[in-house]
Amino acid sequence: MIKSLYRKLLSEKQRIALHYALYKIEAAFLKGDRYECCCCGKSSRRFLSHGDKGPRKNIKCLHCLSLERTRILCMYLRNEILDKTERPISILHFAPVKGLKDFLKSSPHVSVYHDADINPNVATYQCDITQMPYADNTFDLIICSHVLYCVPEDEKGMQEIHRVLKPGGRALLVDTWLDGPTQDLSQLPASERKAISGDATS
Ligand SMILES: [Zn+2]
C-alpha cells in the first residue's frame, strides 16, 4: 500500500534522486577511514548491507552505491585498460551504475563517454541495445554489465555491440552465470529473473 502510493506520488527520476539523498544522510553517520572505495575514492567506517536474497553485510559503498562486482570492474578498467592506453578512448556504457559512471567520466584517459539504457530515467542517452543509434566502428570500449540476460534478442544485441565497436576495440560483457544447463533468463518474468540473478543494481 505505502509502496504503491510512493510510486504514484513520485516519478522514477524523483525516486532515484530521493534514494541517493537518503544514502548521503546515512553516509554522514558513518564517517571514517576503515574502508576506501576504489570507484569514488571515498572512505567510511563500514559499507552498507545489500541483497534481495537476504542482505550481505558490508558490501555497498554508501557514497557511490557500488557493489563488489562494480568495484572489481572498476579496478580492471583502471589497471588493465585505462592505465595502459596510449591515447584517450571512447566508451559506451550500458546500464550505468553511479560509481563506475562518475569514475569513467572523470578519467583523463576517456575522450568520449556515453552512458545509455533503454530506460531514459537511468542514463543520459536512451538506447535499445538491439538497435543502436550509433554509426559502425564508433567506440573503443563497450561496457555491458548485467544487461544481456534481460534482453530477449540478446544475439541481436551482441551483433550491435560488434557493429559499433571499432576494429581492435574491446567489449566487456558481464552477466549472470549459473551452474548446470544454460538458462535463457530473458524469457522469464522480471520477478523470476531478479530472484535468480540476485538483484539488478550497482
Ligand atoms: Zn564508492
Side-chain angles (χ1 to χ4, degrees):
M1 168 74 180
I2 293 175
K3 205 171 177 181
S4 68
L5 192 63
Y6 169 70
R7 286 180 175 274
K8 269 187 189 170
L9 289 175
L10 299 177
S11 68
E12 187 175 16
K13 267 196 170 167
Q14 288 171 323
R15 291 200 302 272
I16 291 170
L18 179 62
H19 183 71
Y20 284 125
L22 291 174
Y23 275 115
K24 276 192 177 174
I25 293 170
E26 196 161 2
F29 288 100
L30 289 173
K31 275 188 180 169
D33 57 8
R34 186 166 184 197
Y35 294 94
E36 183 181 309
C37 170
C38 64
C39 275
C40 65
K42 293 180 179 171
S43 301
S44 54
R45 199 159 70 232
R46 65 171 170 80
F47 287 160
L48 300 174
S49 300
H50 181 82
D52 294 329
K53 288 175 151 179
R56 290 178 294 123
K57 288 183 179 173
N58 207 23
I59 57 160
K60 187 173 190 173
C61 172
L62 63 172
H63 299 286
C64 71
L65 311 188
S66 63
L67 297 177
E68 312 100 306
R69 70 182 185 218
T70 305
R71 293 193 291 276
I72 289 170
L73 193 54
C74 184
M75 281 192 284
Y76 179 81
L77 284 161
R78 179 170 53 212
N79 299 339
E80 299 300 323
I81 296 182
L82 298 179
D83 284 354
K84 292 181 178 174
T85 186
E86 293 174 356
R87 55 168 180 78
I89 60 172
S90 54
I91 297 179
L92 174 60
H93 184 186
F94 275 101
V97 289
K98 181 177 168 21
L100 193 55
K101 174 178 170 174
D102 292 346
F103 168 77
L104 292 170
K105 279 176 80 173
S106 63
S107 170
H109 301 296
V110 177
S111 58
V112 173
Y113 175 80
H114 272 240
D115 61 304
D117 197 284
I118 197 156
N119 180 346
N121 293 321
V122 300
T124 308
Y125 301 96
Q126 186 175 22
C127 174
D128 179 348
I129 198 168
T130 65
Q131 209 173 355
M132 296 192 213
Y134 303 113
D136 297 357
N137 311 328
T138 299
F139 296 99
D140 296 298
L141 173 67
I142 297 178
I143 304 165
C144 185
S145 176
H146 290 74
V147 173
L148 288 169
Y149 76 88
C150 300
V151 180
E153 295 180 288
D154 54 342
E155 285 184 16
K156 204 170 167 189
M158 285 185 272
Q159 285 167 1
E160 277 292 87
I161 288 171
H162 183 261
R163 180 183 69 76
V164 303
L165 199 59
K166 287 180 185 174
R170 281 189 271 194
L172 296 180
L173 310 180
V174 183
D175 230 299
T176 298
W177 188 264
L178 298 173
D179 288 336
T182 303
Q183 290 186 43
D184 187 353
L185 301 185
S186 66
Q187 304 303 319
L188 298 175
S191 58
E192 285 183 42
R193 273 206 311 266
K194 201 171 178 182
I196 292 172
S197 65
D199 66 72
T201 58
S202 306

